[in-house]
Amino acid sequence: MTDPGDAPAGNATRSHARGLPRQRHTSGSAPSDYATSSYAPSRSAPSRTGSRARPKVGAGRRARPVGRGRRILRTAAISLSVLVLATAGVGWWFYEHLNGNLHSVPLTDGSGDSAGKEKADAFGRTPINLLVVGSDGRTNASDCKLGGGCSQTGVQSGSNADVEMVMHISADRSNATVMSIPRDTVTTVPACKDTETGVSTNGYTGMVNSALQYGPACQVATVHRLTGIPIDHFVKLDFSGVVKMSDAVGGVSACVDKDVYDTYSHLKLAQGTHTLKGVAALEFVRSRHGFGDGSDLGRTYSQHIFLSSMIRKFKSAGTLTDPTAVYRLADAATKALTVDTGLGSIRKLIGLAADVDKVPANRITFTTMQTAPDPGDSNRLVPAATAQSLFATIANDQSLTNASGKKTAAASATAKAPASASTVPAAQIAVTVENGTTVTGRASAVATALLDKGFSSGTTTGNAAGTTSTTTLTYGSGHKAEAQTAAKALGLPSSHLKQSDATGTGLTLVIGTDWTSGTAYPAAPADTKTATADAHAETADQSKTCAKVSPYKTVSLDGVAMTPTQAYRAATGTKDSAP
């Protein structure tokens, strides 16, 4: 088997567009666009005679002196120029101020492909998968006051990821999925190292939220390993960040279906809809014992209600058109967030926000990873078998908006591999495997797999003419049966097979960016009904959804176990979190 390099497809040459030279300006000065304003005053030529023109005899009104008019124009021009420069200066200061607020760290710790890689669609577009982490860290006095638990330990150094959501934005920006991962899920935490503190682990089996103790990159690696979903970016928010963000948007509307008092998170609300601000918002999203069955699953559902309401408020008229409101929101958000270096600038965050804003609320689906009780510990969870379908749907960029049970276009277009077995033995079939991806070694990996399955030693590898988004197996006239045998061995759907116009040619497999890893073609995405089974899927436009208060005795008041509704009625001396 020959292998002439098997490098990434094509030889890209970077070219630079030739244009006008960029004007330089010193730090603190306004860009040259403003410095060369057309409003800048100009000095007129002096009169040769030095005398003032006299009005004509019989004119009804005396002409205004030319010098005075010029002075007025000059004053107006200077004032306007100063105003433009001042405005530009404020904008530049605001931009730099927000950039200075951001704290960014690497997405990975540099140990292998721990975050995965996205697959482009047929048009070369790629989806975005953002890991959103809510930290329970008491790393400062403010978070200690809000979260409690520091009376004996004091300010702590580590933190867990009490909230974990994978936010998927489709490649065409037409839909989005937000999948919660319950913090009680037991999984494998891989070997990783915190790039800031140097704290490391050799890997272990434990709760998924504990990976954050070894840094955000470790949390990214753990979620990618658990779900198989590539992670492009992460955002981390702490207790005080939730308070600041909810205040910045003027509060978030949320509904509870019964009176509720969670004596642990201190959330106390009467039945109905409330506007949650500051600490009340934090109490709501932290409430574990107030909703559902008192486990972390109920908390994920109420968090979806809160976030859906926040999204609707962002999209409502006026929220993002008020400069004061935008400043408060931007300032609060940038101070509260830790992001990966790929999002470590205002320009990049604005780009991400613009991508999210393109998706209408009725096409943003909130869902929770399906789980089952851990056989070894009833207080812990493990991913249910159906979770793999949800993971595959997200990884394959399939929308969850339509859960009617009908296959989407993405699923329907990917038919199963040919069922009819060919009578042509694999040993008689040679395949030319070409790398049409940007991943080095793809052709060699797939060709080796074919040889291991008994295909002819005449199988060769090479590089495709360029990068291609779709894997294809092309066969010449009379070689269809051989192509079916090869497709079946690789798990390649029949829709990827095509006959060549040339006569006498054999089999050529061009590996596209839809197959960047592994030696078997990725399975077709499941239909949305299977993917969302028991996943509590709801879209962000459902404004009338109320959080379901737990009917069980999940809280305790004065040492007596009771339901959250019973606790609300008994705690007459405790003030409600919100009116």
Side-chain angles (χ1 to χ4, degrees), residues 223-238:
V223 171
H224 173 59
R225 184 185 181 109
L226 170 66
T227 64
I229 299 170
I231 305 297
D232 307 295
H233 301 290
F234 73 80
V235 170
K236 182 168 76 76
L237 191 69
D238 57 17

Side-chain angles (χ1 to χ4, degrees), residues 27 45 55 60 64 66 122 134 155 159 252 296 335 346 379 406 411 424 432 444 483-484 534 541 565:
S27 176
R64 177 175 293 179
V66 176
V155 175
S159 60
V252 178
D296 197 49
K335 286 178 179 177
I346 296 303
N379 293 318
K406 295 181 179 180
V424 181
T432 298
S444 295
Q484 290 177 331
D534 302 319
D541 63 324
T565 300

Side-chain angles (χ1 to χ4, degrees), residues 82-372:
V82 170
L83 179 61
V84 170
L85 288 169
T87 304
V90 170
W92 182 255
W93 172 86
F94 180 48
Y95 182 86
E96 289 299 302
H97 171 72
L98 295 180
N99 265 331
N101 286 345
L102 282 173
H103 175 61
S104 60
V105 295
L107 179 69
T108 70
D109 62 5
S111 57
D113 184 20
S114 57
K117 289 183 174 64
E118 295 289 0
K119 293 181 290 186
D121 67 6
F123 300 97
R125 302 169 299 189
T126 54
I128 300 172
N129 288 313
L130 174 73
L131 178 62
V132 181
V133 173
S135 166
D136 73 348
R138 279 79 165 173
T139 56
N140 55 60
S142 177
D143 282 340
C144 274
K145 182 178 180 181
L146 292 168
C150 296
S151 56
Q152 295 180 342
T153 62
V155 175
Q156 303 163 26
S157 58
S159 60
N160 294 312
D162 267 11
V163 177
E164 288 188 80
M165 298 180 181
V166 175
M167 182 174 190
H168 170 81
I169 308 168
S170 67
D172 63 3
R173 308 301 188 255
S174 69
N175 63 85
T177 299
V178 181
M179 179 187 71
S180 287
I181 301 174
R183 52 156 278 181
D184 294 335
T185 303
V186 174
T187 189
T188 299
V189 176
C192 47
K193 181 178 181 179
D194 190 327
T195 56
E196 289 194 306
T197 66
V199 177
S200 63
T201 175
N202 292 325
Y204 60 92
T205 298
M207 288 173 60
V208 66
N209 69 332
S210 66
L212 190 60
Q213 296 178 18
Y214 304 98
C218 190
Q219 194 66 64
V220 166
T222 301
V223 171
H224 173 59
R225 184 185 181 109
L226 170 66
T227 64
I229 299 170
I231 305 297
D232 307 295
H233 301 290
F234 73 80
V235 170
K236 182 168 76 76
L237 191 69
D238 57 17
F239 290 151
S240 57
V242 175
V243 173
K244 292 174 184 175
M245 290 285 286
S246 60
D247 282 346
V249 298
V252 178
S253 178
C255 171
V256 293
D257 70 339
K258 296 177 183 177
D259 296 340
V260 57
Y261 181 29
D262 181 346
T263 56
Y264 298 98
S265 78
H266 308 295
L267 176 72
K268 188 170 187 278
L269 295 172
Q271 178 182 356
T273 302
H274 307 270
T275 299
L276 305 178
K277 297 181 180 180
V279 175
L282 179 64
E283 291 172 350
F284 186 87
V285 298
R286 288 192 67 207
S287 180
R288 174 189 177 99
H289 300 85
F291 303 113
D293 60 0
S295 72
D296 197 49
L297 292 174
R299 175 161 60 180
T300 65
Y301 305 155
S302 60
Q303 287 169 352
H304 295 168
I305 291 172
F306 182 89
L307 291 173
S308 294
S309 179
M310 181 175 281
I311 287 172
R312 291 194 300 272
K313 185 152 192 179
F314 282 158
K315 290 179 175 289
S316 66
T319 301
L320 297 180
T321 57
D322 179 357
T324 303
V326 170
Y327 172 78
R328 286 199 306 266
L329 179 60
D331 194 45
T334 51
K335 286 178 179 177
L337 299 179
T338 296
V339 300
D340 69 282
T341 49
L343 286 179
S345 73
I346 296 303
R347 180 180 60 82
K348 292 174 181 178
L349 282 175
I350 289 174
L352 176 64
D355 283 329
V356 175
D357 193 50
K358 292 175 184 176
V359 184
N362 65 350
R363 289 185 62 79
I364 300 176
T365 303
F366 283 89
T367 187
T368 300
M369 181 190 82
Q370 299 96 326
T371 57

